Each structure stands twice: as structure tokens, then as C-alpha cells.
Amino acid sequence: MVPLPILTTERLVLRPWDPDDPNDVSAAFDIYRRDDVARWLGAHPAPWTDLGAARERLLRWQSGGREDQPGYGIWAVAPTDSTTPVGSALLVHLPDAEGTPTDDVEIGWHLHPDAWGRGYATEAGQRLLRHARETLGVDVVNSVAYAGNHASIAVMRRLGLQPRGETDRWYGVSLQWWATPPAQPQPTPS
């Protein structure tokens, strides 16, 4: 397993979740136990039910990095003046309807409701887009959301993603699909 890099912005630290840190486990559980967060996530949205399940999920996230593709995963998002995460930001390979990772890359964010409206999702998204392009060499980054998730769709718009329509090719459910335009090739000096 290759650990996720720590990424920073002016106001945020994106770092690996730590399943052995009770503060991280508690923060993750507090985020994902909420219906107003969980209802937008995955093919079968459901809030997390207990701290033990939260720790197990963080363990899976920690071990989810592929040796052959370091730099992808799910980061804890914490303000620079705090060690307590207020959400997650992700850069992962989208799964098909059976859950098998594809070559398509997804960017996403899940924030505690107390952190909504502060620009954290956009700021974390901008940093992950830069990481995807500059470090990982990803040409197109995708983002998907349920049709009613207007807040996430607004973040996609602020990140410069473009609407591609509705799709069920990932997760096996109908989602709104947005993606970055392909990177423009740099002109060759003459």
C-alpha cells in the first residue's frame, strides 16, 4: 500500500484518514451518520450506524490504494487551524455497476453540514484537480451526482467541469455526469 500524499491549500489540509485515531473515527462517523450527507452517496445510500463500522470503513479506505496506481484515494479534509476533519475529498477510479474499478477517474467531496457554504468543497476539489493533472497525468476527471444534489452540482460548475448529461455507466444508478474538458496540449516551441 502506498500512502496518500498530504495536499494543502490556503485554508485546508487534505491528508489520509487514520483508522487508529479515535478523533478521525469519531469525525468520520459524525459526517457519514447523517442522512443529509449519506443520501447522496453510492448506489445504495445509507447512513453509517456505529463507530465500529466507521473504523472498518476507514481501514478499507486506508488499504484501498493500489500499488500500481499511487496517488488515488479518499482524503480527510481539515481546516489548517484544526486537526479534526470536516469532510472527505476523493480522487478514485469510478466503479462499474458490479463495483469493478474502471479507468475513469472521479473527483468528489462529502462534508459535514456545519462545513457547508464555506467553499471547502471547491477548494479541496481545485487542489485534487491540480494533483490529478500535474502529478498523476490524468487528462479527464469525472464527477457524478444524483439529480437533486444541487450543492454538489454547483461545486462541479465552480470547478470548471462541464455537464455531459445523465448516465448509469458507473455505480449502476442514474446520475448527472460532469467532467473536465480534456487538457489542452501545450504548443511546441518553434
Side-chain angles (χ1 to χ4, degrees):
M1 177 183 68
V2 177
L4 286 175
I6 295 173
L7 305 173
T8 60
T9 71
E10 182 179 327
R11 300 182 303 153
L12 302 172
V13 175
L14 283 65
R15 61 164 176 82
W17 282 99
D18 184 352
D20 295 322
D21 181 342
N23 186 51
D24 272 21
V25 174
S26 178
F29 177 64
D30 191 33
I31 294 163
Y32 292 100
R33 72 176 175 82
R34 299 170 179 278
D35 183 62
D36 47 353
V37 173
R39 70 183 175 147
W40 304 113
L41 306 179
H44 307 287
W48 292 7
T49 56
D50 61 65
L51 285 169
R55 183 175 186 281
E56 290 301 315
R57 183 72 60 102
L58 295 185
L59 281 166
R60 283 200 315 268
W61 289 355
Q62 183 183 55
S63 65
R66 292 171 43 186
E67 291 291 335
D68 62 330
Q69 294 188 331
Y72 294 91
I74 301 174
W75 284 260
V77 176
T80 54
D81 62 353
S82 174
T83 59
T84 302
V86 297
S88 297
L90 58 95
L91 191 65
V92 297
H93 290 273
L94 279 157
D96 63 18
E98 287 75 43
T100 304
T102 66
D103 289 334
D104 300 313
V105 175
E106 175 186 17
I107 189 172
W109 40 85
H110 317 140
L111 296 176
H112 190 287
D114 292 347
W116 292 353
R118 297 182 185 186
Y120 291 162
T122 302
E123 192 169 328
Q126 289 167 336
R127 182 63 184 95
L128 285 181
L129 283 174
R130 196 167 82 241
H131 173 69
R133 287 258 165 95
E134 295 174 5
T135 305
L136 303 176
V138 176
D139 189 39
V140 175
V141 178
N142 303 282
S143 192
V144 293
Y146 284 98
N149 192 346
H150 304 295
S152 275
I153 292 170
V155 172
M156 294 175 198
R157 187 175 291 111
R158 284 192 294 275
L159 291 175
L161 279 64
Q162 300 173 346
R164 301 288 176 91
E166 195 168 303
T167 185
D168 63 359
R169 77 190 248 197
W170 302 299
Y171 295 106
V173 295
S174 182
L175 297 165
Q176 299 298 306
W177 172 28
W178 289 61
T180 58
Q184 299 298 316
Q186 297 299 315
T188 307
S190 355

